[in-house]
Amino acid sequence: MAIEIAIETPLQDDVRGLVIELNETLLELTPPEHCYHLTVEQMAGEDTTVFIARDQGIAIGCGVLKRHGDAIGEVKRMFIRPSHRGRKIGAGIVERVEALARDEGLKRLVLETGDRHPAAWTVYERAGFSRCGPVLDYPDSEWSVFYEKSL
């Protein structure tokens, strides 16, 4: 059975568990004061759309499009469980985020990721994102790497 990626509410127990795993993973690599997590409740806000990847019904990945002013969209909360990495699932989620952003008329996608996430950098660079300086209201930090893509 193929991996399915769909828009879902994050207010589900299995998605909450996935986000807990994401947060734990990030905190192993980055000091807490340099982690910019959205809570599950924030992910359920009107300015966000959550994509969940499922394998035989089990939540194994996520990604969010968060909308900002000036027709800017932000890619947030990208995570694939280690058991499913290397299968281009993250790339599939990024494609869905970008397609929705384009459909809504957004002009630019931006994101912040950690300085110890080379696999994430590969996903973003293969999707056409370029490194840039700090975006939105993120501080310039040695712990952060920023990307952007014009749509």
Side-chain angles (χ1 to χ4, degrees):
M1 186 178 220
I3 303 294
E4 295 183 10
I5 300 171
I7 295 172
E8 297 188 24
T9 176
L11 303 175
Q12 304 175 73
D13 290 344
D14 61 345
V15 175
R16 287 179 187 276
L18 187 70
V19 171
I20 288 169
E21 192 174 330
L22 163 59
N23 292 342
E24 290 171 350
T25 299
L26 293 176
L27 288 169
E28 290 173 4
L29 300 170
T30 307
E33 64 272 19
H34 295 285
C35 288
Y36 307 105
H37 302 167
L38 288 179
T39 66
V40 171
E41 288 72 24
Q42 289 169 320
M43 290 167 62
E46 290 183 15
D47 61 347
T48 61
T49 299
V50 178
F51 292 90
I52 301 298
R54 293 185 179 275
D55 185 2
Q56 298 180 34
I58 298 169
I60 51 90
C62 59
V64 169
L65 171 61
K66 180 171 175 52
R67 294 152 191 90
H68 295 271
D70 297 324
I72 296 172
E74 181 182 11
V75 180
K76 295 276 300 172
R77 310 282 36 210
M78 286 292 301
F79 179 69
I80 307 299
R81 285 203 161 119
S83 59
H84 286 75
R85 291 183 186 155
R87 295 171 55 185
K88 309 250 186 260
I89 299 165
I93 293 173
V94 170
E95 286 173 15
R96 296 287 303 273
V97 167
E98 181 178 338
L100 179 59
R102 284 183 187 279
D103 287 349
E104 292 183 2
L106 298 181
K107 300 297 182 202
R108 183 171 167 235
L109 283 176
V110 299
L111 65 94
E112 181 275 340
T113 189
D115 73 319
R116 299 180 183 179
H117 302 272
W121 306 340
T122 299
V123 169
Y124 301 130
E125 290 167 10
R126 285 182 179 164
F129 285 79
S130 301
R131 285 198 183 195
C132 62
V135 297
L136 304 170
D137 59 354
Y138 291 102
D140 192 359
S141 161
E142 65 183 304
W143 297 97
S144 293
V145 176
F146 302 97
Y147 283 92
E148 67 181 349
K149 181 176 183 177
S150 293
L151 302 179

